[in-house]
Amino acid sequence: MMLRMSRAGLAERWPLFAGAFLSVTLGVALVQSSLLLLISAATMDPPAGLDAAGRMAFADNADASVALLGVVLGTATFLAMFIISSTFAFTVAQRRRDLALLRLVGGSRGQLRRLLLGEAVLLGTLGATAGVPAGLGVMAIQSELLAAQGFVPDGFVAEWRPWILAVSFGTGLLLAIAGVLVAARRGARVRPLDALRETGDAGRAMTAGRWIAALLFLGGALTLIIVAPHGGPAGGQAMATNVPTLAAVTIAALSPLLVPLAGRLAPTGGGVAGMLARANLADSRRRSASVAAPLIVLVALVVGNVGAGTSFTASGVAEMRRDTRADLVVDATGPIGARIRAVPGVASASTETSLPATVIAGRGEDAEAEAATAMVVDPAAYAAAHSSPSLAALHGRAVAAGPGGDMPSRGTVRVTLPDLDLGELPVVAALPETMAGGTNLLLPPGLVPADRLAAAPTRSFVTLTADADPAAVRAALSRIGTVSDLDAWLLADAEQRNSTNDKIMLIVLGLGGLYALIGVINSAVIGAATRRREFAEARVTGMTRGQVIRSALLESWAVTVAGLLLGAVAAGATFLAVLTTTSAVTGQATLDLPWPLIAAVAAAAVLVTSVTSLITSWSATRERPVALLGARE
Amino acid sequence: MTTMTRAAAAVTLRGITRVYGRGSTAVRAVDDVTLTFPRGSWTAVMGPSGSGKSTLLHCAAGLEQVDAGQVLIGDTDLTAAGDAALTALRRTRIGFVFQSFNLIGSLTAEQNVALPLRLAGRRPARADVRATLARVGLADRARHRPREMSGGQQQRVAIARAMVTRPDVLFADEPTGALDSAAARTVLDLLREMADSGQSIVMVTHDPGAAARADAVVFLRDGRVVDRLAGADAHQVADRLAAWERS
């Protein structure tokens, strides 16, 4: 019986259900694709025929892609949870009158709950059914992106796993049911008399649940903002990049309260359409909040994360510029240190040879092998060229922890190079971790046999004597390797870091951002679906169709502005953590905002909501108002 | 059902009061009303707008809590009933008809009528449902959806839906308020016929013509019962209403 009602309900309020269905389909697709990619990267075997060094480089690369895909999966799961649950809750709130009517003719609260849960199960199953094939499409796009940006080793293939079917259906059902659970309890408590109220929003929009969620997530966000500066470069960055999610959920939970307030800041003009738009914004706070919520999350996530990324990169670049002491940089292969020092006019040179390594820290059961980068350095020259603490203790059989972190700062580690076990080595020094990162392990000269270094990439930071002829030194050095000015080299390094940051953000947020944007459209369509009557009433009161459409457009504009502003507040919370963290690590608070991206997100949001509003209000006013008002239900 | 011990009154109101708002803005929509609606009889409740007539109906039907007093449907005390008991009551002993017909748009007339039985967990016999529709003169509209019907037809479907559970009392709130005079007459004829065959009906209306079709008319002003007429025609009802509105 209830299922039949569900089906009948589906047919009638189709935009509501289409929106809920779409949110499940895309959420399942995104989560499924991210999970398959992560599993594929984690279980990837190195291609046959690689030598030991190649296998180590492959392992390092694979570790990095697993870490990246972990973040992708986390973001996808969060977005799916947020968008599906808010969409479902909104569809329930929009059908308050229908539910009250069922109560009026003898429906019990339990029956209403079962009806709503039945719908959620139906929509979750349908959504997952469509989401599984859609997920294959999303996976093709994501693999393409990953490969094009060089985040996966050559020959990476995202693989289908049969068990993913169970996971995807489970995800769709679980998220749909979780999304509707609270809303169903609330919807079932509707009073039968509410069926008689023609219009108007569902009573109190700020529920206890919203307050509790807001306080919990606010607490989490504040904790991260306070702790981030004490977390070191890696920990601080990780904590700061989690602030947007928490801050966005906090603000989204408070949105029935905040959106009408923020919406007042949007200019809506003086005409009657503007007046009606302002009144509707304040009156239908539930609807305004539901449209603004995905927008808040979108802005917070994209602007917050990308802004944090560019700021941390800028901070690292500034730190490098401040700490590097050299005139020229030479990139070459193999042991070039002696030849560089022999060039007339060279005062000193820190020559650094990179090697892939595996490091085992801890003993017995706790032993943990990690891919790492190691660098053979001249300790004294290194400390001078990078303004680092003294590495005088680094000689003989010993290692030092590098600026890249991830290494124990005392005790011993077991270091393995490709095909060569260096054995247990004491960690005799530890350089402070830097924002820019770098190598994990510094090795003294003489520890690694020369034949292992012959083909390794080597970089030398060269300082000239006061009386040297730069052109002549340059000419001499260019016979050894590629020579750059320090400034040019720093610039190129910064560009490369920025481009890596951009690529990571594209992978992590590209499809997620698109999903959130579709969530915005979804809510806007659902919000408009039940407004035909309201529009018809405005028209019989004397408004023209144009005025009604203009009023709806102005209302959507105000809600969009509110969403953008509140999203900016959530992103701002992230930037607070960024400022304190960069200040704690490098001594200089750094914020570098991606203004073109911010402008693009704002423009896209306004465009998308405006077009949606135009289309929905145009189609909702197609019928003659009198015909619509006559057909009472 | 306690057929043997049924009270004489279909609905009994004992000193009920319903207050909206608090403090200085408080409005006593229903103010200490004591009233009985006799079994098997049609009572109309009239009064100027804001007199509290709709609130009175909602309180009598258990749709709204009273702040003081007692509401009885037969012998059952609504004021002591919880949500589950009120739901059960709506399924078996109370029927509603409203100005805005409140049919479910996605269901056919037949499905709308069968809905209360289905919600009560009963499998309605198609013949019963058809018979109920036939009683309101819509046997041929069983498979139509509300939007394919006129206002008068929709209201008759709503009446059939209310009647299908054979309720003790039918509550009607401005049942003709949204209808043209011809459709209104059909609906009133139907209610008259039902009352004549023993159905208890409580109807709120502002239309003296509609009220005159009832067995008795109760006048309400400022939340209090101020007058009662039995067997009056439309003119008498209108005059009495006008008198109360003037004073």
Side-chain angles (χ1 to χ4, degrees):
Chain A
M1 157 64 198
M2 278 338 233
L3 196 69
R4 176 121 135 247
M5 282 280 314
S6 296
R7 259 188 287 136
L10 281 179
E12 181 69 7
R13 298 265 183 246
W14 71 266
L16 266 63
F17 295 107
F21 167 79
L22 190 65
S23 70
V24 175
T25 300
L26 295 179
V28 165
L30 204 56
V31 170
Q32 173 189 293
S33 160
S34 307
L35 182 59
L36 280 176
L37 284 169
L38 176 62
I39 300 286
S40 301
T43 57
M44 187 167 38
D45 288 324
L50 271 190
D51 60 4
R55 279 202 300 277
M56 259 185 202
F58 181 91
D60 196 24
N61 202 344
D63 279 359
S65 32
V66 168
L68 176 64
L69 287 167
V71 178
V72 172
L73 178 63
T75 309
T77 310
F78 163 73
L79 280 172
M81 272 163 53
F82 184 86
I83 293 190
I84 293 174
S85 63
S86 65
T87 307
F88 271 75
F90 189 34
T91 60
V92 173
Q94 287 291 85
R95 288 160 60 216
R96 206 175 155 75
R97 269 197 75 199
D98 296 7
L99 297 176
L101 189 55
L102 285 177
R103 292 281 282 137
L104 201 55
V105 295
S108 69
R109 287 179 180 170
Q111 281 174 320
L112 258 58
R113 270 201 301 275
R114 283 198 292 284
L115 167 74
L116 293 170
L117 282 176
E119 282 175 3
V121 168
L122 200 64
L123 283 166
T125 311
L126 288 176
T129 309
V132 169
L136 291 176
V138 171
M139 189 163 75
I141 298 172
Q142 278 187 314
S143 321
E144 192 67 34
L145 271 177
L146 283 168
Q149 312 293 351
F151 282 111
V152 283
D154 290 339
F156 173 82
V157 182
E159 283 167 3
W160 168 261
R161 310 281 153 130
W163 52 258
I164 200 77
L165 273 177
V167 173
S168 288
F169 274 89
T171 308
L173 274 176
L174 206 71
L175 291 184
I177 292 172
V180 92
L181 218 49
V182 177
R185 282 192 67 80
R186 191 155 182 256
R189 278 204 304 267
V190 68
R191 297 175 342 130
L193 257 189
D194 289 338
L196 304 181
R197 315 238 187 281
E198 286 292 336
T199 50
D201 230 16
R204 275 178 322 129
M206 275 309 295
T207 56
R210 280 184 175 270
W211 281 113
I212 291 168
L215 286 177
L216 276 178
F217 281 86
L218 179 66
L222 287 178
T223 309
L224 286 186
I225 293 173
I226 292 166
V227 178
H230 306 290
Q237 288 192 42
M239 283 185 246
T241 48
N242 275 312
V243 173
T245 319
L246 297 173
V249 175
T250 307
I251 292 180
L254 294 174
S255 56
L257 214 60
L258 299 178
V259 169
L261 287 179
R264 276 193 225 158
L265 298 175
T268 46
V272 62
M275 186 197 72
L276 186 63
R278 284 192 299 278
N280 277 337
L281 179 74
D283 191 46
S284 305
R285 38 187 63 216
R286 183 71 178 78
R287 181 177 66 223
S288 312
S290 294
V291 177
L295 199 54
I296 293 170
V297 169
L298 172 71
V299 172
L301 238 54
V302 171
V303 173
N305 277 320
V306 176
T310 51
S311 300
F312 284 128
T313 306
S315 171
V317 167
E319 184 188 42
M320 284 267 279
R321 184 175 295 276
R322 190 188 64 196
D323 291 344
T324 310
R325 303 267 179 276
D327 297 308
L328 298 172
V329 181
V330 183
D331 282 300
T333 312
I336 53 170
R339 286 170 67 198
I340 287 181
R341 279 196 304 278
V343 170
V346 170
S348 65
S350 172
T351 303
E352 303 154 9
T353 305
S354 300
L355 294 168
T358 304
V359 176
I360 301 169
R363 281 168 197 285
E365 299 252 320
D366 298 332
E368 215 181 315
E370 254 187 275
T373 55
M375 216 154 73
V376 179
V377 299
D378 172 346
Y382 182 93
H386 298 286
S387 318
S388 78
S390 167
L391 289 169
L394 184 62
H395 54 76
R397 285 188 54 79
V399 297
D406 270 353
M407 286 296 131
S409 55
R410 58 174 68 87
T412 62
V413 290
R414 185 184 179 118
V415 182
T416 317
L417 298 181
D419 289 337
L420 177 71
D421 190 348
L422 292 179
E424 294 276 342
L425 297 167
V427 182
V428 293
L431 297 186
E433 286 178 46
T434 61
M435 202 53 97
T439 192
N440 306 109
L441 207 58
L442 299 179
L443 308 177
L447 182 66
V448 180
D451 61 317
R452 306 278 162 182
L453 303 175
T458 302
R459 174 170 296 155
S460 191
F461 292 87
V462 177
T463 307
L464 304 186
T465 55
D467 55 354
D469 171 8
V473 178
R474 244 193 122 103
L477 288 176
S478 62
R479 279 192 287 277
I480 300 171
T482 315
V483 185
S484 340
D485 285 334
L486 180 68
D487 280 342
W489 182 83
L490 285 170
L491 212 62
D493 180 65
E495 247 166 49
Q496 199 249 324
R497 282 168 194 275
N498 277 323
S499 126
T500 307
N501 180 49
D502 290 350
K503 287 176 186 170
I504 291 178
M505 292 303 162
L506 178 68
I507 301 274
V508 174
L509 296 170
L511 291 178
L514 219 52
Y515 179 43
L517 201 60
I518 291 173
V520 175
I521 300 176
N522 230 340
S523 301
V525 172
I526 293 171
T530 48
R531 297 186 74 181
R532 304 170 86 86
R533 237 192 119 73
E534 180 192 330
F535 289 152
E537 275 162 359
R539 284 174 74 192
V540 295
T541 318
M543 285 180 96
T544 63
R545 188 178 178 194
Q547 278 173 319
V548 169
I549 293 178
R550 198 154 64 241
S551 168
L553 186 62
L554 284 171
E555 188 186 332
S556 132
W557 152 253
V559 171
T560 308
V561 169
L564 291 174
L565 287 176
L566 294 173
V569 171
T574 316
F575 299 149
L576 208 61
V578 169
L579 284 169
T580 51
T581 304
T582 49
S583 165
V585 173
T586 69
Q588 189 184 358
T590 310
L591 192 62
D592 183 13
L593 294 185
W595 290 111
L597 177 85
I598 295 175
V601 168
V606 171
L607 184 73
V608 156
T609 53
S610 301
V611 169
T612 310
S613 161
L614 278 177
I615 293 174
T616 52
S617 55
W618 182 81
S619 104
T621 48
R622 236 175 348 187
E623 263 177 279
R624 286 187 311 116
V626 177
L628 207 91
L629 289 177
R632 282 163 174 272
E633 286 173 3
Chain B
M1 288 275 174
T2 53
T3 324
M4 302 301 292
T5 58
R6 274 193 176 178
V11 184
T12 311
L13 308 179
R14 286 187 192 143
I16 65 162
T17 296
R18 173 70 181 151
V19 184
Y20 290 119
R22 249 185 252 165
S24 59
T25 58
V27 176
R28 299 178 84 81
V30 176
D31 192 2
D32 193 18
V33 169
T34 298
L35 198 58
T36 54
F37 298 104
R39 180 170 300 283
S41 147
W42 177 3
T43 311
V45 180
M46 290 205 81
S49 19
S51 61
K53 53 188 190 296
S54 277
T55 307
L56 181 82
L57 184 92
H58 294 159
C59 289
L63 291 175
E64 204 149 347
Q65 294 283 325
V66 292
D67 295 306
Q70 202 180 25
V71 179
L72 301 173
I73 301 279
D75 294 329
T76 312
D77 186 355
L78 292 195
T79 32
D83 184 71
L86 285 175
T87 302
L89 214 61
R90 278 198 286 277
R91 284 177 180 172
T92 51
R93 298 179 59 190
I94 303 178
F96 299 103
V97 177
F98 295 99
Q99 177 176 5
S100 51
F101 324 123
N102 287 312
L103 299 175
I104 292 183
S106 55
L107 301 180
T108 61
E110 199 176 23
Q111 288 170 327
N112 265 293
V113 171
L115 188 60
L117 295 178
R118 289 183 170 278
L119 286 168
R122 278 184 269 161
R123 186 172 292 278
R126 165 158 285 182
D128 281 355
V129 173
R130 290 280 167 113
T132 313
L133 270 173
R135 267 190 79 190
V136 299
L138 291 174
D140 56 336
R141 290 283 188 276
R143 291 184 180 275
H144 288 61
R145 288 177 205 282
R147 74 174 80 84
E148 299 157 347
M149 289 186 268
S150 71
Q153 288 172 333
Q154 290 186 56
Q155 190 62 300
R156 281 186 280 153
V157 174
I159 292 173
R161 179 179 67 186
M163 295 308 297
V164 77
T165 58
R166 303 203 171 89
D168 293 355
V169 196
L170 176 68
F171 290 99
D173 191 355
E174 303 275 11
T176 57
L179 302 179
D180 60 60
S181 53
R185 200 173 317 119
T186 318
V187 165
L188 292 171
D189 286 346
L190 187 59
L191 291 175
R192 186 64 255 166
E193 195 182 301
M194 283 158 49
D196 289 341
S197 56
Q199 176 67 49
S200 316
I201 301 173
V202 179
M203 174 183 78
V204 160
T205 184
H206 64 267
D207 173 12
R213 301 294 301 274
D215 298 309
V217 186
V218 172
F219 292 90
L220 225 61
R221 213 181 75 158
D222 299 331
R224 290 169 178 272
V225 177
V226 289
D227 206 350
R228 187 168 184 136
L229 269 182
D233 66 21
H235 285 293
Q236 290 170 299
V237 173
D239 288 346
R240 192 64 64 93
L241 184 64
W244 281 114
E245 276 177 356
R246 265 199 309 275
S247 64

